[in-house]
Amino acid sequence: MALILNVSYQEKDAAKTLGARWNNELKKWYAPDRSEYHKFKKWILQDRDIAIIVCDYFYIIEGKHRCFKCGKETEVIGFGIENYYDMYDDSFEYFSGEIHIASGVEPLSTELLKYLKEKYNFYLGYSKTTQSNYYSNHCKHCNVIQGDFYLFNEVDSPFFIDSIEKAKNLVLNKVVIKNDLILNADIGYGSEDNLIKEYGKIHLLNNNFNL
Ligand SMILES: [Zn+2]
């Protein structure tokens, strides 16, 4: 496990001094040790205020949802984040043990995006509500975008977990990653999130997502 960093040629000496190492196969610098990740804040945050580092694995979580346009039931996905660092300002904290559901997770590898598009109709779409493009769920029947706000924030959404029944309806596909991942993500925190791991159906997904 390591953390791949985007270090420019000009910055390589600074990164090296902090303990970064060179991966000759990927032609990238990386931070080899989790206890040292905080030293590489500059490359982790880059021009952002906040970033998360997902460790070990994440989940593609399937839920059922009724399309607001055609009224048919369609499958939608969110991402399950369990072991991760949260980095912002001077804060750098590790969280583990409970699965939280996230949206707006990016960047994702080309291989994973291809898989999500083919299997779940999840791809870059335009939302009239937010007037922006983002990777989003689309109805399998009528292809209409199923906006993140309704899927992740509304009480009756499949990813708003407030009962054992709702947690039981989730299918979690576990994606093991080779290296820790720096991501943008909008993580939702619910007081009943402990139910997700306890009652959701977890499967290991044999993947070739290059993550
Ligand atoms: Zn539809």
Side-chain angles (χ1 to χ4, degrees):
M1 274 293 170
L3 187 66
I4 310 295
L5 303 166
N6 274 320
V7 176
S8 70
Y9 184 78
Q10 289 77 10
E11 295 170 327
K12 69 178 174 51
D13 291 335
K16 197 176 173 182
T17 304
L18 292 172
R21 292 189 203 155
W22 177 250
N23 181 320
N24 204 35
E25 193 185 330
L26 297 172
K27 307 284 179 210
K28 294 260 192 192
W29 290 91
Y30 66 95
D33 191 336
R34 283 181 184 164
S35 67
E36 313 259 288
Y37 282 179
H38 62 280
K39 292 184 184 173
F40 299 93
K41 182 179 174 181
K42 177 183 179 183
W43 293 282
I44 293 167
L45 285 182
Q46 299 186 50
D47 54 356
R48 295 173 286 213
D49 296 329
I50 183 166
I52 65 161
I53 299 171
V54 171
C55 302
D56 311 314
Y57 51 83
F58 62 88
Y59 304 88
I60 299 166
I61 304 186
E62 301 170 5
K64 295 268 189 278
H65 162 75
R66 199 163 289 285
C67 172
F68 73 90
K69 190 77 178 177
C70 73
K72 292 179 183 160
E73 190 175 83
T74 186
E75 202 172 33
V76 287
I77 59 160
F79 296 88
I81 310 288
E82 185 172 343
N83 302 338
Y84 65 100
Y85 290 92
D86 202 356
M87 177 177 264
Y88 61 93
D89 298 332
D90 290 326
S91 169
F92 189 60
E93 201 177 343
Y94 184 65
F95 296 88
S96 170
E98 203 166 88
I99 300 172
H100 301 290
I101 302 181
S103 58
V105 176
E106 55 151 11
L108 300 172
S109 68
T110 310
E111 291 84 352
L112 176 56
L113 286 171
K114 183 169 182 280
Y115 176 82
L116 296 179
K117 183 169 186 180
E118 284 169 5
K119 186 163 172 65
Y120 298 110
N121 219 18
F122 180 91
Y123 54 88
L124 193 63
Y126 181 76
S127 161
K128 284 182 196 161
T129 313
T130 62
Q131 302 201 332
S132 62
N133 285 300
Y134 62 89
Y135 284 94
S136 40
N137 286 283
H138 296 78
C139 174
K140 284 189 166 177
H141 310 284
C142 72
N143 280 323
V144 161
I145 189 168
Q146 309 291 306
D148 276 0
F149 180 79
Y150 300 100
L151 289 182
F152 294 93
N153 299 327
E154 295 273 290
V155 177
D156 60 353
S157 89
F159 299 128
F160 191 101
I161 302 305
D162 54 2
S163 68
I164 290 172
E165 255 348 276
K166 286 185 85 172
K168 277 183 177 171
N169 286 332
L170 298 176
V171 175
L172 295 93
N173 300 284
K174 188 172 187 174
V175 177
V176 176
I177 54 179
K178 292 196 285 276
N179 291 298
D180 294 341
L181 286 174
I182 301 168
L183 294 172
N184 296 322
D186 186 3
I187 301 177
Y189 298 94
S191 55
E192 311 291 331
D193 280 357
N194 60 303
L195 299 174
I196 299 171
K197 198 169 170 182
E198 195 174 350
Y199 293 100
K201 299 172 194 74
I202 298 179
H203 307 287
L204 182 65
L205 185 62
N206 287 315
N207 81 83
N208 197 10
F209 297 147
N210 198 24
L211 291 168

